[in-house]
Amino acid sequence: MTRILLAGLVFILATNVVSGQPAAKEKLLYSFETAADLKNWSNLALPKEKEPAVKIEQSTEHATNGKHSLKLTFDGGNWPTVTTTQVSDEWLAYTMFEADVHAPRECLVGFTLMQEKSGRGSGWDAMISRWTYTAFLQPGTNRVKAPLPQPNDYAIHAKWGKPVRFEILMYTPHRGESIFIDNIRLTTEKAPPKEKKQFTVAGTDWVLTGESSANGVIELGKKLKSKWTKPKQRTLDEVEGEFRAQFAELKKKHPRAVLAILRDGEKGYDPGNPDKVYAGWKDAYFTSHGPDGNNVERAANRGKSTTHEIFMRHRSPMMRVDLSSIPADADILAARLVVIRSNPKILDQHNPEAKPTMWVVEPCNRPWDEYEVNAFQFAKDKFWKRAGGATGGKDADFEPIFLAHGPGQGKVNAWDFTHAIRYWIVGKHANHGFMLHGDSHDYMTAWSREAPEVRNRPAVLVIYEPK
């Protein structure tokens, strides 16, 4: 087969793998027009994964090709799945998978193709050996479209053997709800080029361009590379001491200025209630790391962990700090975000003292729940627009702006957070927190707000002046 490289993905020119002739523009796989079509479908039964049975029926509702559709009625579960071993040999001859799915609500439905050498499980070798596409659906009929060829010869690829099993799955369905599926097909359509987006940097007139905010932070790192200097190692006492010295200077021009340290478990953040203990942080890590079949990890919530990984955009935590103690009309004079590594040992390939690194703060638009958020949903049954959340576009999950940025600094990291606090307080933007992520040149395991020692917990230091 002839291959071409387009937008970082390998696409296979459509050729019939059996005859060697050009494939038809469209190959219908399943249309569910006869009762016999349903006899080949059953519930997927795996030894270590027990799911409630899915009721499989032929239906005259929501058909898009002919008069019938496949009706699946669920009884709860995590990933209940139906499957068939009646699979076309021609999957490798096409570039796009398509299906029509009618959903009763926002939900997540997935499709998997297993080949002869495909494996199950959450290990890397198993995940790249099978093709899975998870679709974020809206209420009503959705046309699902997904590219077939994968990067780096992952499935779908001839080295994995013949296609042997096709599966349809749903994430945490409600008991008694149904979806309708029809017109499952393969086409020779090419995947559209990825849309470029623009990202701004708070406090500057810079505009960054990339396919995602992950590209944006890399571009920002390159832009500031020449200004990088080796970071000075500082203790938390030194970081806070420097900020208190700045507060003393600001008091000369702003005598009514207030310093607040917003760290879970500490007193003194609220001038009107000096003995009140701050309890306004929340944080939760999740991963949206590919491939798309990484469903177990993507569905995990780690809101109660004492530490979390902070790395690239697809492997970083959500954070939110409650700012309600700051008057809505306050003038924000200065602020810092403080994050402390739980393991000070830094990998050689991710050493902030050896080379330039870059971290950014990306604001969230969704009211995420600390104990329910994962790569698929920001709260129970409330789904992101794509795995990990979409940045930019109408009603985006995240705003295309970096509210804070700067290099890694060793065990104790402190970044200028002034523009971020102004964004929420002065700009009146809803405070749904943010994601802290980097350009891959640095890597952290950091303490969360659940850290046993209060002083290790993340914090925001703010100097403001009430009106």
Side-chain angles (χ1 to χ4, degrees):
M1 298 182 188
T2 304
R3 301 182 189 177
I4 57 175
L5 187 64
L6 177 63
L9 294 179
V10 177
F11 289 90
I12 303 175
L13 293 177
T15 302
N16 189 291
V17 294
V18 177
S19 67
Q21 298 299 314
K25 290 185 178 181
E26 184 170 297
K27 169 74 175 179
L28 181 64
L29 297 178
Y30 309 103
S31 65
F32 313 104
E33 283 304 292
T34 69
D37 292 333
L38 271 67
K39 292 182 179 180
N40 298 318
W41 290 83
S42 62
N43 280 264
L44 179 67
L46 300 175
K48 297 181 180 180
E49 299 176 20
K50 302 298 182 182
E51 294 283 2
V54 181
K55 187 177 182 179
I56 304 170
E57 300 174 276
Q58 184 187 50
S59 175
T60 57
E61 297 181 79
H62 310 298
T64 58
N65 182 12
K67 297 181 179 180
H68 297 91
S69 64
L70 174 66
K71 180 181 180 181
L72 302 179
T73 302
F74 297 89
D75 190 30
N78 290 318
W79 291 101
T81 302
V82 299
T83 183
T84 179
T85 56
Q86 297 297 310
V87 184
S88 170
D89 288 337
E90 297 184 49
W91 278 76
L92 275 64
Y94 289 87
T95 55
M96 192 72 69
F97 169 87
E98 298 187 20
D100 301 329
V101 185
H102 184 91
R105 60 180 175 89
E106 288 188 26
C107 60
L108 186 76
V109 171
F111 303 89
T112 293
L113 180 75
M114 301 291 288
Q115 296 174 243
E116 290 174 309
K117 299 178 182 178
S118 297
R120 301 217 180 253
S122 58
W124 180 253
D125 290 342
M127 286 192 297
I128 65 171
S129 71
R130 61 182 185 264
W131 176 85
T132 295
Y133 181 75
T134 48
F136 290 78
L137 304 183
Q138 295 296 314
T141 299
N142 301 258
R143 174 157 292 182
V144 176
K145 301 177 72 171
L148 292 175
Q150 304 294 296
N152 305 318
D153 292 343
Y154 301 163
I156 298 171
H157 191 275
K159 75 177 186 179
W160 303 106
K162 292 182 179 181
V164 294
R165 183 182 292 274
F166 178 68
E167 302 169 358
I168 303 172
L169 53 150
M170 188 173 184
Y171 175 56
T172 60
H174 297 176
R175 286 186 173 181
E177 75 176 350
S178 302
I179 61 173
F180 300 82
I181 304 164
D182 198 13
N183 200 17
I184 301 176
R185 58 206 181 274
L186 306 175
T187 75
T188 58
E189 183 180 345
K190 298 284 179 62
K194 291 185 178 180
E195 180 184 357
K196 296 289 185 179
K197 301 173 184 176
Q198 291 188 331
F199 301 86
T200 57
V201 181
T204 77
D205 59 0
W206 300 339
V207 177
L208 311 170
T209 302
E211 295 172 357
S212 67
S213 56
N215 302 119
V217 64
I218 292 172
E219 183 180 343
L220 181 60
K222 291 178 179 178
K223 185 179 183 69
L224 295 174
K225 182 178 180 179
S226 62
K227 298 181 180 181
W228 178 80
T229 57
K230 183 177 178 179
K232 177 185 176 182
Q233 291 282 352
R234 296 177 295 172
T235 65
L236 179 58
D237 286 341
E238 288 173 328
V239 167
E240 292 188 354
E242 291 172 7
F243 197 70
R244 291 182 187 279
Q246 183 179 5
F247 173 59
E249 285 298 311
L250 287 169
K251 288 279 283 186
K252 295 176 182 178
K253 291 186 178 181
H254 304 273
R256 298 176 61 246
V258 174
L259 186 152
I261 297 181
L262 309 179
R263 177 185 288 118
D264 267 23
E266 282 196 6
K267 296 180 180 180
Y269 74 97
D270 185 350
N273 299 279
D275 291 328
K276 188 175 181 180
V277 176
Y278 185 77
W281 265 92
K282 67 176 184 178
D283 49 33
Y285 171 87
F286 63 79
T287 176
S288 56
H289 197 296
D292 201 354
N294 189 16
N295 292 335
V296 174
E297 285 296 306
R298 288 183 173 191
N301 168 271
R302 298 177 177 86
K304 296 182 179 180
S305 298
T306 57
T307 64
H308 42 219
E309 176 185 56
I310 312 181
F311 189 37
M312 299 178 70
R313 177 59 173 73
H314 58 286
R315 286 163 54 184
S316 283
M318 300 291 301
M319 301 181 185
R320 183 184 181 276
V321 56
D322 184 359
L323 303 174
S324 60
S325 62
I326 300 175
D329 60 352
D331 185 11
I332 308 303
L333 304 177
R336 297 287 184 275
L337 169 65
V338 178
V339 174
I340 299 177
R341 297 177 196 262
S342 58
N343 184 357
K345 183 179 180 181
I346 301 170
L347 301 175
D348 291 340
Q349 66 268 38
H350 301 293
N351 189 345
E353 295 186 24
K355 60 183 177 181
T357 64
M358 183 56 60
W359 295 96
V360 297
V361 165
E362 181 182 338
C364 183
N365 284 332
R366 304 287 182 244
W368 51 279
D369 187 287
E370 185 175 17
Y371 304 120
E372 295 175 351
V373 66
N374 59 35
F376 298 129
Q377 60 183 25
F378 57 88
K380 177 65 175 176
D381 289 340
K382 297 183 181 296
F383 293 86
W384 302 110
K385 290 186 176 295
R386 64 168 176 79
T391 303
K394 186 178 180 180
D395 190 32
D397 297 319
F398 291 82
E399 281 298 314
I401 180 173
F402 296 149
L403 297 181
H405 68 277
Q409 301 138 49
K411 181 179 180 180
V412 179
N413 294 264
W415 297 283
D416 190 330
F417 211 55
T418 310
H419 293 291
I421 302 299
R422 288 175 180 166
Y423 177 84
W424 292 304
I425 298 295
V426 181
K428 309 299 183 184
H429 295 277
N431 178 14
H432 295 308
F434 57 93
M435 179 179 284
L436 172 67
H437 61 93
D439 63 355
S440 83
H441 294 160
D442 192 0
Y443 177 93
M444 291 194 216
T445 302
W447 291 107
S448 75
R449 78 172 186 92
E450 285 83 7
E453 186 177 332
V454 171
R455 294 284 287 168
N456 282 333
R457 296 171 184 173
V460 167
L461 321 179
V462 187
I463 301 171
Y464 65 89
E465 184 177 37
K467 294 295 186 184

